[in-house]
């Protein structure tokens, strides 16, 4: 009888210890087991189970968190599905390297307006951004880490065709 009680106590103790682990489910299907330390605006800081080092993952890469202590499920972000160039409006431009943690790099993308064009500075900038997003969408990538954003201004900068907008970035997916 003592052995049965001891066995049940050990099993209950192990079950309680395992239940304390938080489970982070990523959009690509991977799970991370550990302890969530802090949720920031765009990132999640956590420790892997059995480790002390703090790690950071982008909220964009995370679908949900299941807290081991309470069992509460927190939905973090919805998955952005980009099926091709027509979905370019779904592409999100990120401006900080911390926001890509946990995402997979696919390749460089570029968007620019022609040197001689019919755009003012502001509309040229929007056109270059659209081309940048279309390039990422063609690769099936819902995210871009923008690495360069420059405008060149010619002698007729106040008129049409006097400026060129160039945007560069790196495309990422889940």
């Amino acid at each position: 009888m003592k052995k049965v009680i001891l066995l049940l106590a050990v099993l209950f103790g192990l079950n309680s210890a395992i239940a304390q682990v938080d489970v982070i489910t990523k959009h690509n299907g991977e799970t991370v087991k550990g302890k969530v330390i802090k949720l920031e605006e765009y990132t999640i800081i956590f420790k892997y189970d059995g480790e002390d080092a703090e790690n950071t993952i982008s909220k964009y890469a995370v679908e949900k968190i299941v807290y081991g202590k309470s069992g509460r499920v927190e939905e973090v972000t919805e998955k952005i599905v980009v099926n091709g160039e027509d979905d370019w409006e779904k592409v999100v431009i990120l401006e900080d390297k911390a926001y890509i943690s946990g995402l997979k790099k696919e390749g460089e993308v570029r968007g620019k307006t022609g040197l001689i064009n019919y755009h003012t500075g502001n509309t040229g900038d929007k056109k270059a951004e659209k081309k940048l997003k279309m390039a990422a969408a063609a690769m099936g990538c819902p995210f871009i880490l923008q690495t360069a954003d420059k405008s060149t201004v010619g002698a007729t900068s106040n008129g049409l065709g006097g400026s060129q907008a160039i945007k560069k970035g790196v495309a990422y997916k889940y």
Side-chain angles (χ1 to χ4, degrees), residues 6-150:
L6 181 63
L7 181 63
L8 288 174
V10 169
L11 288 176
F12 181 73
L14 285 174
N15 198 20
S16 296
I18 293 170
Q20 299 291 329
V21 176
D22 300 331
V23 179
I24 300 170
T25 304
K26 296 168 59 174
H27 286 294
N28 65 5
E30 293 177 16
T31 58
V32 176
K33 293 181 180 182
K35 176 72 178 149
V36 174
I37 306 299
K38 187 191 317 184
L39 278 100
E40 296 182 338
E41 188 173 358
Y42 294 103
T43 58
I44 299 167
I45 299 172
F46 70 97
K47 292 181 181 180
Y48 283 105
D49 192 27
E51 296 182 11
D52 291 330
E54 290 186 356
N55 297 277
T56 303
I57 189 168
S58 170
K59 281 188 172 180
Y60 292 110
V62 176
E63 177 187 350
K64 66 182 176 180
I65 301 170
V66 179
Y67 294 97
K69 209 172 200 178
S70 66
R72 181 173 65 92
V73 177
E74 182 173 354
E75 300 293 328
V76 180
T77 59
E78 287 188 32
K79 187 172 185 174
I80 300 170
V81 179
V82 177
N83 294 316
E85 201 171 291
D86 292 339
D87 289 337
W88 70 269
E89 291 180 278
K90 295 179 182 178
V91 176
V92 178
I93 295 178
L94 307 172
E95 297 174 357
D96 191 326
K97 285 185 179 183
Y99 304 165
I100 59 163
S101 179
L103 298 173
K104 182 180 165 192
K105 180 180 177 179
E106 286 297 308
E108 293 188 14
V109 289
R110 181 177 170 171
K112 70 174 192 163
T113 57
L115 188 57
I116 298 173
N117 59 63
Y118 297 104
H119 299 286
T120 61
N122 190 34
T123 59
D125 194 54
K126 288 181 181 179
K127 183 76 170 175
E129 183 176 302
K130 179 180 177 182
K131 287 184 177 183
L132 184 71
K133 287 182 172 186
M134 288 177 84
M139 297 168 70
C141 296
F143 305 104
I144 299 170
L145 175 64
Q146 190 165 326
T147 57
D149 183 5
K150 57 181 200 182

Side-chain angles (χ1 to χ4, degrees), residues 4 74 166:
V4 173
E74 182 173 354
I166 302 169

